[in-house]
Amino acid sequence: MIPFFPPDLFEADREVMLKILYELGTSPEQRFILGESTAMLEQEIADLTGARHVIACGSGTGALTLAVHAAGIGPGDEVVVPAFCCQPVASTVANLGGTVVFADVDPLTMVMDPDHAESLITSRTRAIMPAHVFSIMADMPRYRRMAERHGVALIEDAAVAQGAVLDGRQAGCWGDLGVVSFFQVKAFGTAGEGGMVFTDDPDLATIVRQLRNHGQDGKHRFLHHRIGYNSRFDEVLARFQSHRLPGFAERLERRARIADYYSERFSEFTGRGLVPPPKGRNGRCYYVYSLLVERREDLRAYLTERQIGTHIYYPVPLPLQPAFSAFATPGESWPNASLVSARNLAIPIWPHLTDEQVEYIADSVCEFFE
Ligand SMILES: Cc1ncc(COP(=O)(O)O)c(C=O)c1O
């Protein structure tokens, strides 16, 4: 069986993890959150990405919460988010009392459609929040210009796109605030939970740093400058991520090569019931390789029979979820979000897949369409 979610992501790092646990667990400081290792990882990621301020926190959702809060979103403020995405793009806004406004997505790339997003901007709009999806970054140059033109904040959800580069600029560094996630299966996932906020703005950085630790400034204990959260980062995981960082570029490259190979193999079926992600490297992230397939359930069953794990992301668009019904006006529709919800099927793209496995997966998909 080739699993979609492999259980052995950190197989090569077992000994290192035990060593980190032992060293931190027996160190005289007994510091397990927001210590030197977290600060070091933040600096390493800042050096790598060019972000002026990098703030590590409890999860990708935590990072998005801190970003939305720091952007000043509250009751009466509208935030434009994609209708087809992971739910934190909507829940973080709603949890702060903001109004979620759902924009439809592009039917081929699955990222938020800039034309539709712009048509939804009103005098109440406070931010737009494009998210990169699966293997494709949103059109950030266009969103940057849009945000400036309308005087709204740009929050970039790069949870799935760490390490991706568009026009020479790293994912997460296009927005006033950008976020990444360290959830296990993400490109730079970890052995637990974590995330980061990126910003070039020193004032926003100060706010985010305070918000992640109950509004404190890191110097004066029990002095609360603002009402915040517990979204602190774990020292064990910080050390683990620093250990994994040197191999990150190589793992990303391996994912990209697998994607190149798949896209090459699948191109002959484009328009014959299959839409593979567009080829290329600019603005691509390869977190997940997702096909759009008319006969999705049949292909899924075919691959399952061949012992190939697949995954369907977001089978119901966000505005059609009971949780977000308050933000969906009756009669309103998001046709492309509904279409890609019904058609997307992700196939394995792990860096440690062997060439034989990759070939076998591609052969199996091609056989189905032949
Ligand atoms: C687009 C997007 N945003 C936010 C998140 C939240 O990240 P986390 O799971 O680390 O809370 C995810 C996680 O899957 C995501 O895919």
Side-chain angles (χ1 to χ4, degrees), residues 58-64 85-89 131-133 157-160 179-186 193-195 287 313-314:
S59 67
T61 306
L64 216 46
C85 198
C86 198
Q87 72 88 38
V89 293
H132 311 311
V133 176
D157 183 345
V160 308
V179 310
V180 295
S181 160
F182 295 158
F183 187 64
Q184 186 162 348
V185 294
K186 296 288 193 299
E193 298 270 10
Y287 157 60
Y313 282 87
Y314 325 137

Side-chain angles (χ1 to χ4, degrees), residues 135-136 255-270 274-280 284 286 289-291 347 349 358 362 365-366:
S135 67
I136 300 167
R255 283 175 185 265
R257 279 171 192 252
I258 295 172
D260 286 346
Y261 177 76
Y262 283 157
S263 294
E264 195 55 50
R265 294 286 312 271
F266 301 154
S267 57
E268 64 175 297
F269 303 108
T270 305
L274 171 68
V275 182
K279 289 183 195 163
R284 308 302 307 282
Y286 306 113
Y289 190 92
S290 208
L291 305 164
I347 57 175
I349 192 175
V358 173
V365 171
C366 291

Side-chain angles (χ1 to χ4, degrees), residues 96-133:
L96 278 158
T99 301
V100 183
V101 178
F102 289 110
D104 207 355
V105 296
D106 180 281
L108 299 180
T109 61
M110 298 183 251
V111 294
M112 186 159 80
D113 173 356
D115 287 325
H116 192 223
E118 186 157 23
S119 75
L120 297 170
I121 294 177
T122 70
S123 58
R124 291 177 300 280
T125 306
R126 187 83 184 255
I128 39 183
M129 194 198 289
H132 311 311
V133 176

